[in-house]
Amino acid sequence: MSEPRHPAPVAAEAQLDIDANRRAIKWSRKQLLARALWELLRGPLFAWTPRPLWGWRRYVLRRFGARIGQRVHIHPDVRIAIPWTLDIGDDSAVGERAILYALGPITIGKRATISQNAHLCAGSHDFRNQSMTLLKPPIRIGDEAWICADAFIGPGVTIGDRAVAGARAVVMRDVAPGAIVIGNPARVTGSR
């Protein structure tokens, strides 16, 4: 029986500098206060609202700086990190328990669908930097695109108009307009 393989130990000079990460200024004081206010009010003003109150949730998000189009449906249990980095086009929908981790801008086009449990992750860390600098790359979801259930869209990714990311796809690269991608890592399997 062979011994399990372990990666070589990291040299002392290459260890992560957690103190530098924690000292880094990632947000302005105004942004921190706004995020605290959103976290404080997100429950009573957004998450605890009855499902049919689409217009009320659009209103609340707009008050927090989001650009939300007409007739957009966002379920009350959608997790939104920072509302003012969101831009959602007319007639789009965001399903139950979806995560819009909008540290960087997330733009969702018109008539797009973000299905239940989908995760749009517009935040990451520079793993090549010892202080693991926070990154906030944008995500763009095109018009009439469909992000299916449980799909993960990585930082900096653009999903083209009318493209489809299949259920549980892990998309870390741009997807051309009209393309259908599935799997982990996502690969093109057809067109719409």
Side-chain angles (χ1 to χ4, degrees):
M1 178 184 300
S2 63
E3 292 291 319
R5 293 183 141 192
H6 297 286
V10 177
E13 63 272 8
Q15 289 182 345
L16 296 179
D17 189 347
I18 301 302
D19 289 337
N21 178 282
R22 292 183 179 164
R23 282 191 312 268
I25 297 173
K26 303 170 184 89
W27 310 99
S28 69
R29 184 177 300 271
K30 180 180 177 183
Q31 289 171 325
L32 289 173
L33 288 172
R35 289 187 70 182
L37 184 63
W38 168 245
E39 285 302 319
L40 181 68
L41 298 176
R42 185 175 59 82
L45 294 182
F46 188 90
W48 302 341
T49 58
R51 184 175 183 266
L53 294 184
W54 310 111
W56 170 255
R57 286 189 293 279
R58 288 192 299 265
Y59 170 78
V60 169
L61 289 173
R62 288 173 184 145
R63 297 302 296 171
F64 275 89
R67 290 157 303 283
I68 307 294
Q70 301 300 311
R71 299 170 302 280
V72 170
H73 284 192
I74 302 176
H75 282 256
D77 55 2
V78 171
R79 296 282 309 207
I80 299 171
I82 300 177
W84 55 90
T85 59
L86 273 183
D87 189 337
I88 302 178
D90 295 344
D91 299 304
S92 289
V94 183
E96 295 96 337
R97 298 174 305 281
I99 299 172
L100 304 180
Y101 195 61
L103 300 188
I106 292 180
T107 303
I108 299 172
K110 297 176 182 175
R111 298 174 300 284
T113 301
I114 312 299
S115 290
Q116 66 274 17
N117 296 312
H119 184 168
L120 278 55
C121 184
S124 186
H125 294 274
D126 182 356
F127 60 86
R128 292 182 180 91
N129 182 305
Q130 288 180 314
S131 65
M132 295 280 287
T133 307
L134 180 66
L135 305 174
K136 305 170 190 172
I139 289 176
R140 182 185 180 282
I141 308 296
D143 293 345
E144 301 184 4
W146 179 18
I147 309 303
C148 297
D150 288 313
F152 178 87
I153 309 300
V157 168
T158 294
I159 305 292
D161 294 346
R162 296 185 49 77
V164 177
R168 298 198 167 181
V170 176
V171 184
M172 299 303 291
R173 296 179 183 211
D174 292 351
V175 176
I180 299 171
V181 299
I182 63 169
N184 177 9
R187 65 188 186 288
V188 177
T189 60
S191 60
R192 194 174 186 189

